[in-house]
Amino acid sequence: MRSRPTIVDVAARAGVSKSLVSLALRGDDGVSPATRERILAAADELGYRSNALARALRQHRTMLLGVVVGSLDNPYHTEVVESVERAAERHGLSVLLAHGARRAGRMAARLDALGDLDVDGLVVVSSWADPELLQAAARRAPVAMVGRSLEPVAGIDSVNNDDERGAALAVGHLVAAGHERIAHLTSSRRPAGLARRAGYEHAMASHGLDRHVRVIERGRDEPAGPGLDAALADGCSAVFARNDVEAFDALDHAWDRGIDVPAGLAVVGYDDSALALRARPRLTSVHQPRAEMGALAVELLRERWAGRTADRHEVLTPRLVVRASA
Amino acid sequence: MRSRPTIVDVAARAGVSKSLVSLALRGDDGVSPATRERILAAADELGYRSNALARALRQHRTMLLGVVVGSLDNPYHTEVVESVERAAERHGLSVLLAHGARRAGRMAARLDALGDLDVDGLVVVSSWADPELLQAAARRAPVAMVGRSLEPVAGIDSVNNDDERGAALAVGHLVAAGHERIAHLTSSRRPAGLARRAGYEHAMASHGLDRHVRVIERGRDEPAGPGLDAALADGCSAVFARNDVEAFDALDHAWDRGIDVPAGLAVVGYDDSALALRARPRLTSVHQPRAEMGALAVELLRERWAGRTADRHEVLTPRLVVRASA
DNA sequence: CACGAACTCTGGAACGTTCCAGATCATGAG
DNA sequence: CTCATGATCTGGAACGTTCCAGAGTTCGTG
């Protein structure tokens, strides 16, 4: 494996200076058509490929985008990551992926590693992140967060959907279908979860159903069964779950208990991830515009590169996708 | 945002040469304890972080691992990617992810982009890849493929599970449960799919059930229903699906038709991905040792870096995980 | 006391590119 | 014929590291 040809090799072959090769390859128009031709031909013959590293070192831009994601096991996350990668590619950026950044310690380590690689920007896809960590990272490169922090973090752009509104859509749909005792199933104390819960409570109140508010809380790895059974025993006829994964759990439990969905229990999820279509019956779910969210995050970073200094916090509007489960 | 301090700044502050700073930071033991102390303190005070780019340029190694994956929508793929990332991290490598490389054109583009970034190695996670594309990429950096090509590709290491054997496990289990008319559901013409199909056919033959071999083929986005119905009508009592996604489809269809699983139809999947646990009833599935496969792929690359030139093709042994669906 | 062997430390080249200031040359205006 | 102008091209510095050859100091030994 002979070592990769450089711009100098091309220059020698074309009989010009390395500087001119650089200009020609970058399409600068101070190069005469004839020599440009010659240079491109030489590059081609040698199989020259530019060294992105050297360019990055000199230009102070790597065209690298760091993407930090809590985990890939929730399809919603992977779909956001895919949309970020797609948008990045459109702008000639490559994505560096770090997953498993649930714990703050690991997230810090991954952010540092990405920073050392001089990424031009960072997208954090997570339902939560330590504000200080984000700000530390933002001192190196602009950061856009897809997902919520408790409140806007100074210096960090964000893209979100309106969780309260999404929750209201879900509750509204169930109320319209005649449900009154609507429970909320959640295992999250993170901002997105809390916002959906608050949205649920407000929506219940606005429909005059305060007295039927019932939140089924459980620990991260606790089963949903006991809480659901208790709610069912109290006449609860519908569940609005914090996300599709939890909705799936509710459907599973109904399946195990032989309860018909939606007749015996109506279920609405959140995210409208691939899971919603895999569920039986298919899951009615609040749709987050994922593709748009990823693209928007990349756009926010590009604006930062262009010089924007004011923070932007984008909140997109979710919509309800009605299927068979409610 | 003042520009990042460099090794030279640290040197100035500690009153030594940049070379010595470099040595001290890398833990070389030709540096006296006292000055090392002083240098580390200076680095700390300035908030120095090394520039991985400059190091990579000089050392001709980026510590970057390119991971190319067909798509992230099959949980099996994401789990392999996660395991690769985990193994990479253990060795101080960062993962550059490119997804959506189903089409050869896109895969070529992504491989080129990763090559330009001078990745030290490539892991291709896909059920198929154009051998020439892989070999072209391997001219730049060693390539390990997780997944099958029709036959071993010269110069490319690979990690696989033994699909034929896995298929035999599935069939064996169904036969032991008393099934004779066992169909195979597949929508794939890729090597892994073909191997599982062949394994199914051989296993059926070895149990003296040649006459009951029945392959339900369908197009990539065609429903599984019609083929399944026809098979059921002919007395088929079990299905061995090419992967969990297809098994899921079979369960769905059974659900839609009100057929009890496993009494009315036994279903066995392949991959034992997260989907298997999400299925109702829970899916009996052939387990591929994903975590091991990702780690092994990284190990194969490391061996290449260490100088191995002979190809290695690792084939791991799958095992059957019995759950409720069969 | 001289000398070589550690032990520490240093300056400059190199990695492959881009940037910058300027060199060269033909052209056309005065 | 001269000179400014624009078009085309060039050499060297710079990016932040690591590598290499060697310089200076200290110390033990004969």
Side-chain angles (χ1 to χ4, degrees):
Chain A
M1 219 192 287
R2 224 181 54 266
S3 91
R4 203 164 141 181
T6 76
I7 211 176
V8 177
D9 301 321
V10 176
R13 173 150 203 150
V16 295
S17 73
K18 64 178 173 21
S19 305
L20 196 59
V21 173
S22 175
L23 291 173
L25 292 176
R26 279 177 293 155
D28 184 292
D29 47 39
V31 183
S32 78
T35 33
R36 148 161 300 128
E37 197 68 21
R38 198 147 39 88
I39 291 171
L40 293 183
D44 213 47
E45 286 158 23
L46 293 176
Y48 170 80
R49 303 239 73 207
S50 76
N51 182 326
L53 245 49
R55 191 204 336 277
L57 181 60
R58 178 65 236 229
Q59 293 195 142
H60 296 284
R61 40 200 311 251
T62 52
M63 300 299 271
L64 246 38
L65 201 62
V67 173
V68 179
V69 56
S71 80
L72 291 175
D73 58 16
N74 181 340
Y76 165 73
H77 285 318
T78 70
E79 289 163 27
V80 172
V81 171
E82 282 195 329
S83 83
V84 169
E85 217 246 336
R86 219 181 327 262
E89 191 193 353
R90 263 202 303 280
H91 295 108
L93 301 158
S94 295
V95 161
L96 265 169
L97 178 75
H99 88 273
R102 271 186 175 290
R103 293 181 304 104
R106 212 188 126 95
M107 161 113 54
R110 305 315 285 141
L111 285 173
D112 270 354
L114 291 172
D116 288 351
L117 279 164
D118 243 347
V119 293
D120 284 339
L122 284 160
V123 177
V124 176
V125 182
S126 175
S127 52
W128 181 80
D130 178 357
E132 288 191 27
L133 235 50
L134 294 179
Q135 289 176 323
R139 251 169 269 136
R140 302 239 238 157
V143 176
M145 167 129 190
V146 180
R148 308 197 43 137
S149 37
L150 213 47
E151 41 196 273
V153 180
I156 310 292
D157 294 332
S158 71
V159 178
N160 273 294
N161 90 115
D162 186 338
D163 291 301
E164 294 226 12
R165 173 145 189 191
L169 288 174
V171 172
H173 175 71
L174 290 168
V175 170
H179 297 279
E180 295 203 328
R181 295 179 188 269
I182 303 167
H184 178 53
L185 174 64
T186 182
S187 66
S188 167
R189 306 253 171 140
R190 297 184 160 203
L194 295 178
R196 288 171 199 177
R197 175 185 180 150
Y200 156 78
E201 287 167 351
H202 293 159
M204 289 294 277
S206 78
H207 286 102
L209 298 172
D210 319 47
R211 68 193 178 289
H212 292 138
V213 163
R214 173 169 198 143
V215 177
I216 306 173
E217 282 187 277
R218 54 169 177 158
R220 233 187 104 56
D221 292 310
E222 281 173 31
L228 280 170
D229 284 338
L232 284 163
D234 288 349
C236 172
S237 65
V239 177
F240 163 51
R242 174 206 135 225
N243 68 11
D244 287 350
V245 176
E246 305 218 31
F248 218 95
D249 288 343
L251 290 180
D252 278 354
H253 184 68
W255 196 93
D256 288 341
R257 283 273 185 283
I259 298 166
D260 184 65
V261 175
L265 181 70
V267 178
V268 176
Y270 208 113
D271 289 345
D272 190 29
S273 64
L275 279 182
L277 281 171
R278 291 240 158 81
R280 279 304 175 276
R282 290 185 219 278
L283 195 61
T284 293
S285 185
V286 179
H287 179 86
Q288 296 200 49
R290 293 180 288 279
E292 213 177 316
M293 291 169 83
L296 192 49
V298 173
E299 204 48 45
L300 290 177
L301 291 176
R302 284 167 40 87
E303 289 178 14
R304 289 282 188 183
W305 296 333
R308 172 167 59 77
T309 55
D311 295 355
R312 277 187 62 185
H313 298 286
E314 296 292 312
V315 179
L316 304 185
T317 306
R319 65 170 211 275
L320 187 73
V321 177
V322 178
R323 297 200 185 85
S325 73
Chain B
M1 218 192 286
R2 222 180 58 266
S3 89
R4 205 163 139 181
T6 75
I7 212 175
V8 177
D9 301 320
V10 177
R13 173 148 204 152
V16 295
S17 73
K18 64 176 173 24
S19 305
L20 195 58
V21 173
S22 175
L23 291 172
L25 292 176
R26 278 177 292 155
D28 185 291
D29 48 37
V31 183
S32 79
T35 34
R36 148 163 300 130
E37 197 68 22
R38 199 147 39 86
I39 290 170
L40 293 183
D44 212 46
E45 287 157 23
L46 292 176
Y48 170 80
R49 305 238 74 210
S50 74
N51 182 326
L53 245 48
R55 189 201 339 274
L57 181 62
R58 179 63 236 227
Q59 293 197 138
H60 297 284
R61 41 201 309 251
T62 53
M63 301 298 270
L64 247 36
L65 201 63
V67 173
V68 179
V69 57
S71 80
L72 292 174
D73 58 16
N74 182 340
Y76 164 71
H77 285 319
T78 71
E79 289 163 27
V80 172
V81 171
E82 281 195 332
S83 83
V84 169
E85 217 246 336
R86 219 181 326 263
E89 191 192 353
R90 263 201 304 279
H91 295 108
L93 302 159
S94 295
V95 161
L96 265 169
L97 178 75
H99 87 273
R102 269 186 177 293
R103 292 183 304 105
R106 211 188 128 95
M107 163 122 35
R110 306 315 286 140
L111 285 172
D112 270 354
L114 291 172
D116 288 351
L117 279 163
D118 245 344
V119 292
D120 284 340
L122 283 160
V123 177
V124 175
V125 182
S126 175
S127 52
W128 181 82
D130 178 357
E132 289 192 25
L133 234 49
L134 294 179
Q135 289 176 324
R139 251 168 269 137
R140 304 239 238 157
V143 176
M145 169 129 189
V146 180
R148 310 197 40 137
S149 38
L150 212 46
E151 42 197 274
V153 179
I156 310 292
D157 293 333
S158 70
V159 179
N160 272 293
N161 91 113
D162 186 338
D163 291 300
E164 294 225 13
R165 174 148 188 187
L169 288 174
V171 171
H173 175 71
L174 290 168
V175 169
H179 296 278
E180 295 203 327
R181 296 180 187 267
I182 302 168
H184 177 53
L185 174 64
T186 183
S187 66
S188 168
R189 307 254 170 138
R190 298 185 159 201
L194 295 178
R196 290 171 199 177
R197 175 185 181 150
Y200 155 78
E201 287 166 351
H202 294 161
M204 289 294 278
S206 79
H207 287 101
L209 297 172
D210 319 47
R211 66 191 179 288
H212 292 139
V213 163
R214 173 171 198 141
V215 177
I216 305 175
E217 281 187 277
R218 54 168 177 160
R220 236 186 103 57
D221 292 310
E222 280 173 31
L228 282 170
D229 284 337
L232 285 162
D234 288 349
C236 170
S237 66
V239 176
F240 163 49
R242 173 205 135 225
N243 68 10
D244 286 351
V245 176
E246 305 218 30
F248 219 94
D249 288 343
L251 290 180
D252 277 354
H253 184 68
W255 196 93
D256 289 341
R257 283 274 186 279
I259 297 166
D260 184 65
V261 175
L265 180 70
V267 178
V268 177
Y270 208 114
D271 288 346
D272 189 30
S273 64
L275 280 182
L277 280 172
R278 290 241 159 79
R280 281 301 176 277
R282 289 184 221 278
L283 195 61
T284 293
S285 185
V286 179
H287 179 87
Q288 296 200 49
R290 293 178 287 280
E292 212 177 315
M293 291 168 82
L296 191 49
V298 173
E299 204 46 46
L300 290 178
L301 291 176
R302 285 166 40 86
E303 288 178 13
R304 288 283 188 182
W305 296 332
R308 173 168 58 77
T309 55
D311 296 354
R312 278 189 60 186
H313 298 285
E314 294 293 312
V315 179
L316 304 185
T317 306
R319 65 171 210 275
L320 188 72
V321 177
V322 178
R323 299 202 184 85
S325 73

